[in-house]
Amino acid sequence: SDVIVLFAGRNNVYSSTFADDVLRDAKSVETFLRPLIKRFLVVSVTNGRYEGYGQAEYIKILDCNARLAEAFGDRFVDVRAHLFENGLEAAGLTPTQADLDNIAAGRMPPSLMRDGTDSIHFNPAAYAVIGNYIIDAGLAANGWFSRI
């Protein structure tokens, strides 16, 4: 059976109605697709390499993710927390000092981010971690997939 994995909302973080908009949109997508596709996951909004503890965007992202988790329960996959807590190890990367500094400040480690000025998109190693985590914490946890 098909599964919808909704990984959206990041670009709206600067809106004053960010969490409301993301929650409304996720529910709307689910409502629209539910007659056709019964399996639906919602992935957390991730913060970037410059958004950390105490910053308005960081606080808004955590609030949004808490609301998504409440609304979608076991169909919510907290990729943000997984990347922050386990991403480097899961990617097989040794943390750099910049990674450790960012983690200490609540920001995503640069070793998981695209190079250059892009502060919100991940690199291929991080996307592999994200994909595997969605499989394990979303698909397999809901009984929709087995790696066997």
Side-chain angles (χ1 to χ4, degrees):
S1 278
D2 293 332
V3 178
I4 295 295
V5 178
L6 184 64
F7 195 175
R10 168 62 221 184
N11 292 338
N12 299 347
V13 74
Y14 298 103
S15 165
S16 62
T17 57
F18 166 65
D20 292 334
D21 295 345
V22 173
L23 186 59
R24 180 202 63 227
D25 292 349
K27 287 180 176 181
S28 294
V29 169
E30 180 186 34
T31 299
F32 179 77
L33 293 174
R34 179 62 71 187
L36 303 171
I37 301 170
K38 305 295 183 210
R39 298 173 177 185
F40 188 88
L41 295 175
V42 176
V43 176
S44 62
V45 177
T46 56
N47 56 304
R49 73 171 92 193
Y50 301 123
E51 298 155 339
Y53 299 133
Q55 292 178 292
E57 291 78 20
Y58 180 86
I59 294 165
K60 287 166 59 175
I61 289 168
L62 291 187
D63 173 59
C64 179
N65 287 337
R67 292 174 65 186
L68 290 170
E70 183 178 335
F72 292 97
D74 62 359
R75 293 176 298 126
F76 174 75
V77 181
D78 196 349
V79 165
R80 191 210 68 79
H82 180 67
L83 284 173
F84 186 74
E85 296 165 7
N86 308 303
L88 293 169
E89 181 180 350
L93 298 172
T94 301
T96 65
Q97 188 58 52
D99 292 328
L100 297 173
D101 292 345
N102 266 28
I103 290 168
R107 300 185 304 256
M108 281 293 161
S111 292
L112 296 177
M113 308 301 292
R114 288 183 63 186
D115 292 335
T117 60
D118 188 333
S119 66
I120 63 171
H121 294 102
F122 298 103
N123 62 27
Y127 281 120
V129 171
I130 290 168
N132 281 313
Y133 190 67
I134 289 171
I135 289 169
D136 293 338
L139 300 175
N142 280 288
W144 302 337
F145 179 83
S146 174
R147 288 190 184 264
I148 297 174

